[in-house]
Amino acid sequence: MSVDDDTVLKTLAAHRLVPVVVVDGAHQGLALADALVAGGLPVAEITLRTAGGLDAVRAVAQQRPDVVVGAGTVTTADQVDAVVDAGARYIVSPGLSEAVVRRAQHHGVPVLPGVATATEIMTALDLGVSTVKLFPASVVGGPAALKALAAPFGDLRFVPTGGVSAENLPDYLALPPVLAVGGSWMVAKSLVDAGAWDEITRRTADAVALAAPTKES
C-alpha cells in the first residue's frame, strides 16, 4: 500500500461516511462539495452515471482541494485513466474487474471494487485489495450478510453501499470490519437538481452526527 493509499483510506475511516453523488457537471459538483463541507463531510464519491460526472470530478479536484474526491461507477480501465487524470484520489467500482483493479494499482490510486460473494472477496484478496465495497449491501443481506462474509477474511475492510439509510447506518457502523459506509440519502439527486444545498447540508450534518463514534466506543 502506498502512502497515498493509506492516507485516503484513513480519511474515509475517520469520517465513516462516503456520500455517493450523482451530478450533471462541474457547477453541480462544486455546489455539492460546498454543501458537504458545510455539513462537516469533506468527502465525496462522484459517480460516472451521468455524462457530466467526469467534469465534476475534475472541477472538485482542482477547485476544492480540501475535499477528498473519488470516482464511482468506474467499470473499465479506460475510465480509470480518465478519472485519475481528472484528479480522483480513489476509485470505486460496482463490481470486481481485474482490469480496473490492475489499472488503478498501476496509477497508485486506491480502488474499492464491488463484491457480493465470498468468491469475489477471495479474488479481490488475490489482487492485493484490502478494502472492498459490499454492493448492493441491502440486496445481499445487509449487516447480517456483511458479518458472515467478513468472518473468514481477517483484516479485510468493507464499505457497504446500496440501500443504506439513516435508519440502518448504525447497524453497519457497529461492525468492526466496516471502514466506512457509502450512501446517497443525504445527497439525493432530487435535492441536487432542485439546488437544495441547505437541505443537503442539513442532512449531511445529521449523518455526520449519527456516524460519530460514541465515547463508549
Side-chain angles (χ1 to χ4, degrees):
M1 180 181 293
S2 71
V3 173
D4 192 54
D5 282 353
D6 192 46
T7 299
V8 170
L9 293 179
K10 282 183 176 178
T11 299
L12 299 187
H15 291 286
R16 309 183 85 200
L17 288 171
V18 181
V20 181
V21 175
V22 180
V23 292
D24 290 324
H27 175 74
Q28 283 189 347
L30 291 170
L32 191 282
D34 290 341
L36 289 171
V37 170
L41 189 56
V43 175
E45 173 197 330
I46 298 177
T47 70
L48 301 187
R49 297 179 189 179
T50 65
L54 185 61
D55 287 339
V57 170
R58 181 177 292 106
V60 174
Q62 292 179 351
Q63 299 182 47
R64 303 293 188 271
D66 291 338
V67 175
V68 180
V69 62
T73 322
V74 176
T75 60
T76 70
D78 286 344
Q79 287 180 327
V80 173
D81 293 339
V83 299
V84 170
D85 181 68
R89 296 187 59 191
Y90 61 97
I91 290 167
V92 185
S93 182
L96 179 61
S97 161
E98 180 176 353
V100 167
V101 170
R102 293 297 191 202
R103 190 64 63 87
Q105 291 171 335
H106 169 76
H107 288 292
V109 175
V111 57
L112 283 64
V115 301
T117 67
T119 299
E120 291 170 338
I121 289 172
M122 292 172 69
T123 302
L125 289 170
D126 286 343
L127 291 170
V129 173
S130 61
T131 304
V132 295
K133 167 186 175 179
L134 182 68
F135 180 79
S138 63
V139 174
V140 302
L146 192 153
K147 185 176 181 180
L149 284 169
F153 298 111
D155 295 332
L156 186 68
R157 307 299 298 277
F158 290 82
V159 180
T161 306
V164 179
S165 65
E167 289 70 31
N168 62 24
L169 176 66
D171 297 330
Y172 285 105
L173 289 176
L175 300 175
V178 171
L179 178 86
V181 174
S184 59
W185 77 92
M186 74 287 279
V187 289
K189 187 66 164 64
S190 59
L191 296 176
V192 173
D193 288 341
W197 311 118
D198 288 345
E199 176 63 13
I200 290 172
T201 293
R202 185 191 70 78
R203 291 191 185 190
T204 300
D206 287 348
V208 167
L210 193 62
T214 62
K215 292 181 180 179
E216 290 75 14
S217 65

